[in-house]
mmCIF file of all heavy atoms in Angstrom:
data_model
loop_
_atom_site.group_PDB
_atom_site.id
_atom_site.type_symbol
_atom_site.label_atom_id
_atom_site.label_comp_id
_atom_site.label_asym_id
_atom_site.label_seq_id
_atom_site.Cartn_x
_atom_site.Cartn_y
_atom_site.Cartn_z
ATOM 1 N N LYS A 173 99.179 138.937 85.364
ATOM 2 C CA LYS A 173 99.780 138.585 86.640
ATOM 3 C C LYS A 173 98.759 138.116 87.631
ATOM 4 O O LYS A 173 98.971 137.168 88.347
ATOM 5 C CB LYS A 173 100.532 139.816 87.216
ATOM 6 C CG LYS A 173 101.792 140.205 86.454
ATOM 7 C CD LYS A 173 102.457 141.449 87.049
ATOM 8 C CE LYS A 173 103.692 141.843 86.262
ATOM 9 N NZ LYS A 173 104.312 143.068 86.796
ATOM 10 N N MET A 177 98.564 134.443 89.433
ATOM 11 C CA MET A 177 98.555 134.276 90.897
ATOM 12 C C MET A 177 97.322 133.394 91.268
ATOM 13 O O MET A 177 97.441 132.574 92.206
ATOM 14 C CB MET A 177 98.428 135.653 91.578
ATOM 15 C CG MET A 177 99.638 136.512 91.360
ATOM 16 S SD MET A 177 101.161 135.818 92.055
ATOM 17 C CE MET A 177 100.963 136.233 93.756
ATOM 18 N N GLY A 428 106.852 136.366 98.686
ATOM 19 C CA GLY A 428 105.898 137.488 98.691
ATOM 20 C C GLY A 428 106.621 138.814 98.515
ATOM 21 O O GLY A 428 106.098 139.688 97.886
ATOM 22 N N VAL A 430 109.401 139.285 96.843
ATOM 23 C CA VAL A 430 109.798 139.350 95.380
ATOM 24 C C VAL A 430 108.546 139.661 94.523
ATOM 25 O O VAL A 430 108.621 140.513 93.619
ATOM 26 C CB VAL A 430 110.324 137.992 94.893
ATOM 27 C CG1 VAL A 430 110.613 138.004 93.417
ATOM 28 C CG2 VAL A 430 111.662 137.718 95.646
ATOM 29 N N TRP A 431 107.399 139.100 94.911
ATOM 30 C CA TRP A 431 106.175 139.373 94.164
ATOM 31 C C TRP A 431 105.851 140.874 94.291
ATOM 32 O O TRP A 431 105.376 141.514 93.315
ATOM 33 C CB TRP A 431 104.985 138.572 94.719
ATOM 34 C CG TRP A 431 105.005 137.171 94.228
ATOM 35 C CD1 TRP A 431 105.619 136.633 93.140
ATOM 36 C CD2 TRP A 431 104.360 136.033 94.892
ATOM 37 N NE1 TRP A 431 105.427 135.318 93.067
ATOM 38 C CE2 TRP A 431 104.638 134.882 94.097
ATOM 39 C CE3 TRP A 431 103.591 135.896 96.025
ATOM 40 C CZ2 TRP A 431 104.135 133.613 94.410
ATOM 41 C CZ3 TRP A 431 103.109 134.664 96.361
ATOM 42 C CH2 TRP A 431 103.377 133.504 95.570
ATOM 43 N N SER A 432 105.999 141.451 95.453
ATOM 44 C CA SER A 432 105.664 142.871 95.654
ATOM 45 C C SER A 432 106.571 143.739 94.724
ATOM 46 O O SER A 432 106.066 144.772 94.196
ATOM 47 C CB SER A 432 105.828 143.251 97.107
ATOM 48 O OG SER A 432 107.204 143.301 97.518
ATOM 49 N N LYS A 433 107.790 143.361 94.562
ATOM 50 C CA LYS A 433 108.733 144.076 93.700
ATOM 51 C C LYS A 433 108.295 143.927 92.213
ATOM 52 O O LYS A 433 108.513 144.806 91.387
ATOM 53 C CB LYS A 433 110.166 143.635 93.844
ATOM 54 C CG LYS A 433 110.754 143.932 95.205
ATOM 55 C CD LYS A 433 110.712 145.448 95.462
ATOM 56 C CE LYS A 433 111.199 145.809 96.847
ATOM 57 N NZ LYS A 433 111.054 147.264 97.152
ATOM 58 N N LEU A 434 107.733 142.762 91.881
ATOM 59 C CA LEU A 434 107.282 142.553 90.496
ATOM 60 C C LEU A 434 105.843 143.012 90.312
ATOM 61 O O LEU A 434 105.241 142.804 89.218
ATOM 62 C CB LEU A 434 107.388 141.058 90.201
ATOM 63 C CG LEU A 434 108.764 140.402 90.234
ATOM 64 C CD1 LEU A 434 108.642 138.888 90.022
ATOM 65 C CD2 LEU A 434 109.629 141.039 89.136
ATOM 66 N N LYS A 435 105.280 143.691 91.336
ATOM 67 C CA LYS A 435 103.901 144.169 91.313
ATOM 68 C C LYS A 435 102.900 143.048 91.043
ATOM 69 O O LYS A 435 101.934 143.192 90.308
ATOM 70 C CB LYS A 435 103.738 145.331 90.279
ATOM 71 C CG LYS A 435 104.620 146.527 90.605
ATOM 72 C CD LYS A 435 104.241 147.730 89.718
ATOM 73 C CE LYS A 435 105.070 148.927 90.060
ATOM 74 N NZ LYS A 435 104.957 149.346 91.469
ATOM 75 N N CYS A 436 103.099 141.897 91.723
ATOM 76 C CA CYS A 436 102.130 140.798 91.688
ATOM 77 C C CYS A 436 101.358 140.822 93.008
ATOM 78 O O CYS A 436 101.980 140.717 94.094
ATOM 79 C CB CYS A 436 102.870 139.479 91.506
ATOM 80 S SG CYS A 436 103.686 139.246 89.944
ATOM 81 N N GLU A 437 100.049 140.925 92.907
ATOM 82 C CA GLU A 437 99.204 140.943 94.117
ATOM 83 C C GLU A 437 99.140 139.587 94.771
ATOM 84 O O GLU A 437 99.067 138.515 94.114
ATOM 85 C CB GLU A 437 97.806 141.404 93.806
ATOM 86 C CG GLU A 437 97.632 142.883 93.687
ATOM 87 C CD GLU A 437 96.178 143.218 93.696
ATOM 88 O OE1 GLU A 437 95.534 143.028 92.676
ATOM 89 O OE2 GLU A 437 95.668 143.689 94.744
ATOM 90 N N GLY A 438 99.175 139.544 96.097
ATOM 91 C CA GLY A 438 99.060 138.293 96.855
ATOM 92 C C GLY A 438 97.606 137.893 97.048
ATOM 93 O O GLY A 438 97.344 136.709 97.251
#
Side-chain angles (χ1 to χ4, degrees):
K173 289 178 182 177
M177 296 297 280
V430 174
W431 283 339
S432 69
K433 294 302 177 185
L434 297 175
K435 297 193 180 300
C436 294
E437 276 194 286

